[in-house]
């Protein structure tokens, strides 16, 4: 695909949107190296909008979802972490770290599949320490009722999994995985996306913050007795978490709307 080289910009550390701009640069690099597709940039923009509303930090309901997610992954017989282009560009090391902590397999699964891109993503994951990457030469099974290339999965990976972690996932595929009886953990900044509504456990947070936090939680929680992990899972209520995220945004917007006068810029502002 002929994508023109984009000029590199130096982002000063003092820039108020530093973090967010650095993430954008990483995605642009991913685009240039063939890991990310242009549609991935648009998906990221949609996510950023919700991150703005959340205040670009991990909320309490997101943490609650992460604890349940860590419990589900640790209790799983056959957990799989599904990786797409954006995830590989943003958090490859954290994916490998999480998979190690919960004994999960890692599988490349793309909406816009090309063999070349699958191979590139697998390479990135291997460079970050992944021993085995599924979905490269073995995407021979199919998820029923799905028509995109995303239905092609590894029979040893997503097809056989009981718990699948997805990030920036499409709603149709999340629903199809649920219909197959799988527990789906989703990381998605939009609490209203079809994925968020269809997942068993929805972590409404930026994958850049959620993946390392989830890996850290899994590393700590793996020494907890199975019984206490089960209790965390049994008491978990995803609709309550989604509702609490929306309330969090509501309260935040109300607070901001009340203080907006003091925030409006004028030529005399510092
Ligand atoms: P759905 O198909 O679930 O209704 P959608 O069609 O609105 O979702 P997609 O492009 O299919 O959106 O999926 C991308 C999703 O990933 C969006 O919900 C977006 O908010 C989310 N997203 C984008 N960037 C990030 C990120 N960095 N961290 C977490 N979520 C993100
Ligand atoms: Mg979609």
């Amino acid at each position: 695909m002929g994508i023109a080289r984009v000029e590199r910009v130096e982002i000063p550390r003092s820039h108020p949107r530093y973090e967010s701009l650095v993430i954008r640069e990483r995605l642009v690099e991913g685009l240039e190296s063939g890991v990310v597709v242009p549609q991935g940039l648009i998906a990221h923009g949609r996510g950023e909008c919700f991150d703005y509303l959340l205040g670009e930090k991990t909320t309490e309901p997101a943490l609650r979802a992460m604890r349940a997610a860590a419990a589900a992954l640790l209790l799983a017989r056959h957990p799989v972490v599904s990786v797409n282009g954006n995830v590989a560009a943003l958090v490859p090391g954290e994916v490998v770290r999480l998979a190690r902590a919960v004994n999960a397999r890692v599988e490349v699964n793309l909406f816009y599949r090309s063999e070349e891109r699958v191979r590139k993503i697998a390479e990135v994951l291997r460079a970050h320490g992944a021993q085995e990457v599924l979905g490269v030469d073995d995407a021979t099974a199919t998820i029923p009722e799905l028509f995109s290339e995303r239905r092609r999965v590894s029979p040893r990976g997503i097809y056989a999994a009981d718990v699948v972690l997805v990030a920036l996932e499409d709603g149709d595929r999340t629903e199809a995985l649920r219909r197959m009886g799988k527990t789906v953990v989703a990381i998605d900044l939009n609490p209203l996306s079809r994925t968020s509504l269809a997942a068993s456990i929805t972590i409404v947070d930026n994958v850049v913050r959620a993946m390392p936090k989830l890996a850290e939680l899994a590393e700590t929680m793996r020494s907890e007795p199975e019984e206490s992990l089960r209790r965390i899972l049994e008491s978990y209520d995803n609709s309550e978490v989604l509702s609490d995220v929306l309330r969090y945004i509501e309260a935040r917007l109300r607070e901001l709307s009340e203080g907006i006068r003091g925030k409006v810029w004028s030529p005399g502002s510092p």
Side-chain angles (χ1 to χ4, degrees):
M1 198 179 352
I3 290 167
R5 248 201 93 76
V6 184
E7 283 299 313
R8 270 294 87 74
V9 267
E10 269 307 310
I11 307 159
R13 274 214 163 259
S14 57
H15 194 288
R17 312 221 42 76
Y18 179 79
E19 294 286 337
S20 153
L21 293 174
V22 167
I23 294 171
R24 283 188 181 181
E25 285 299 305
R26 287 232 291 280
L27 287 169
V28 170
E29 276 163 29
L31 182 74
E32 288 173 351
S33 66
V35 163
V36 171
V37 283
Q39 292 88 339
L41 302 187
I42 298 171
H44 184 76
R46 182 172 289 169
E48 277 185 333
C49 172
F50 286 96
D51 211 8
Y52 223 115
L53 298 180
L54 289 167
E56 294 171 310
K57 60 174 200 208
T58 301
T59 63
E60 183 281 325
L63 260 181
R64 222 186 306 152
M66 281 184 214
R67 264 192 290 275
L73 288 162
L74 286 165
L75 288 169
R77 260 172 298 114
H78 194 129
V80 172
V81 181
S82 177
V83 177
N84 61 26
N86 285 40
V87 172
L90 293 178
V91 284
E94 289 79 1
V95 163
V96 175
R97 184 178 157 202
L98 173 67
R100 221 172 258 154
V102 301
N103 240 326
R105 288 185 167 149
V106 175
E107 176 165 347
V108 181
N109 192 264
L110 306 180
F111 196 88
Y112 304 97
R113 185 181 171 102
S114 82
E115 296 313 312
E116 200 192 339
R117 195 155 80 93
V118 170
R119 255 167 245 292
K120 283 205 172 130
I121 292 173
E123 249 170 60
V124 170
L125 292 168
R126 281 200 205 93
H128 283 83
Q131 299 286 326
E132 186 186 33
V133 181
L134 300 176
V136 185
D137 299 310
D138 63 336
T140 54
T142 51
I143 299 177
E145 297 168 67
L146 265 192
F147 300 102
S148 72
E149 276 299 296
R150 230 170 219 202
R151 75 180 158 172
R152 291 180 51 190
V153 289
S154 163
R156 291 171 53 234
I158 290 170
Y159 193 78
D162 52 352
V163 179
V164 185
L165 171 77
V166 297
L168 290 84
E169 186 55 270
D170 172 62
D172 289 330
R173 183 156 176 273
T174 307
E175 287 171 12
L177 291 172
R178 284 300 305 278
R179 259 186 239 114
M180 289 173 82
K182 299 179 194 304
T183 296
V184 178
V185 176
I187 301 175
D188 192 325
L189 275 163
N190 178 0
L192 298 169
S193 74
R194 290 179 311 141
T195 293
S196 286
L197 299 174
S200 324
I201 299 170
T202 309
I203 300 166
V204 181
D205 199 9
N206 198 321
V207 72
V208 169
R209 294 187 299 269
M211 203 64 90
K213 186 71 201 163
L214 190 53
E216 186 193 315
L217 272 174
E219 283 163 2
T220 335
M221 286 167 64
R222 64 185 292 171
S223 52
E224 282 186 29
E226 247 187 66
E227 204 30 54
S228 91
L229 297 178
R230 267 183 223 293
R231 249 180 278 124
I232 293 172
L233 253 193
E234 274 157 24
S235 64
Y236 181 77
D237 181 344
N238 206 44
S239 45
E240 186 181 272
V241 162
L242 289 173
S243 160
D244 288 351
V245 170
L246 290 171
R247 269 186 233 275
Y248 181 93
I249 293 174
E250 183 200 23
R252 188 162 180 275
L253 289 180
R254 181 160 304 158
E255 210 172 286
L256 284 171
S257 74
E258 280 155 13
I260 199 74
R261 270 179 211 290
K263 286 200 165 22
V264 171
W265 188 88
S266 75
S269 302

